[in-house]
Amino acid sequence: MSQLFTAFCLGPMTLPNRIVIAPMCQYSAVDGIASDWHQIHLGNLALSGAGLLIIEATAVEARGRISPADLGLWSDACAAALGKILDSIRRYSPMPIAIQIAHAGRKASTAPPWDGGHPLGANDGGWQPVAPSPLAFMPEDMPPQELSQLDMVQIEQAFVSAAQRAQQIGVDAIEIHAAHGYLLHQFLSPLANLRDDEFGGSLENRMRFPLAVFAAMRSAVSERILIGVRISATDWVAGGWDVEQSIVFANELKARGCAFIHVSSGGLSPQQKIPLGPNYQVPLAEAIRAGCGLPTIAVGLITEAEAAEAIIAEGRADLVAIARGILYDPRWPWHAAAKLGAQVDAPRQYWRCQPRELKQLFGDIRFRQR
């Protein structure tokens, strides 16, 4: 029996299998508002048979966007547009849906990647980025504005308001983005956080703001809404954030009611040296799972069904996230189930595509056409 296609209980939510669609920025919103592209994109992924869909990084305020085309959840207009799309999807798909809530910090105000990803000035639709310390991501970038403690209170409230809007539009879970060099990761890493107040210096101090954001969000929404965190387990730079600190952070999150940890890496420094290869981040997920005991999602160049199966079967992670691979093959879960001799949910409108040699792929279906 395939372990990848066994159900998994994440708090009160039961996932039909262990496959997660990772959040992937689409750079296709207008003033933070979801577009027709999101209807097409998310609707397509919601028919894939995965166990959980996580909507892309969604900014808590306009200056927290990576690009001017990022999705947002800082206004009722943003919530209404995304809520309409979710309502449409739910008419045809029972797939649980989560949303990643984010703030880009010093990595904000850039062009979409297909336009070069360069920093944008005010004349090009850009804005002043903010960060824990006035350290630019790239040497040639404009330094970000250092956040005052009043600014931090306002940003914390922006995370809370975004979480409340997420609840209003009916998501099943929220993932806080504390990875890939964005604002909360910037507070965690000693490479980006040089503050000399209670939010900088020691590990305890560097964790203080991200933990405060988590706690405020957790208390602001219903217990039925799971809240987890995506982290970069290491900066891949000597003297930076690392696995040992990640385990301490994960345990502090667990004590505050964190539902899961989604383990990625890197993104904070251009000096990073990442040993790219198949499943290269799985050992990080395995170490953090062992160190904190939280349900753990592994992600990163997991492309083959057999590899995903082994990760779950060997207890290295509880869930496996697929990102670029599912953009390339939006039916990745179907094809994985076929390889592993498992079953997967498919919309009944597609039942007739079940291959003749895989008579149980979509379960005990009945289809007769005249």
Side-chain angles (χ1 to χ4, degrees), residues 301-324:
L301 289 182
I302 302 168
T303 59
E304 302 302 321
E306 295 84 356
E309 173 73 16
I311 290 165
I312 302 302
E314 294 167 8
R316 305 185 74 189
D318 300 289
L319 300 158
V320 169
I322 310 296
R324 292 171 177 84

Side-chain angles (χ1 to χ4, degrees), residues 100-117:
Q100 187 183 73
I101 301 297
H103 193 298
R106 71 181 187 178
K107 295 180 80 173
S109 187
T110 64
W114 47 77
D115 289 331

Side-chain angles (χ1 to χ4, degrees), residues 66-119:
I66 305 166
S67 82
D70 280 23
L71 195 61
L73 204 52
W74 64 77
S75 71
D76 292 342
C78 291
L82 189 54
K84 183 178 179 181
I85 290 171
L86 294 187
D87 289 344
S88 176
I89 290 171
R90 291 194 186 285
R91 283 195 284 273
Y92 297 100
S93 172
M95 185 181 293
I97 298 177
I99 188 169
Q100 187 183 73
I101 301 297
H103 193 298
R106 71 181 187 178
K107 295 180 80 173
S109 187
T110 64
W114 47 77
D115 289 331
H118 55 274

Side-chain angles (χ1 to χ4, degrees), residues 12 27 53 63 101 179 191 227 237 266 271 299 311 330:
Y27 307 100
L53 166 61
R63 67 178 176 175
I101 301 297
L191 302 179
I227 303 182
V237 179
Q271 297 176 8
V299 68
I311 290 165

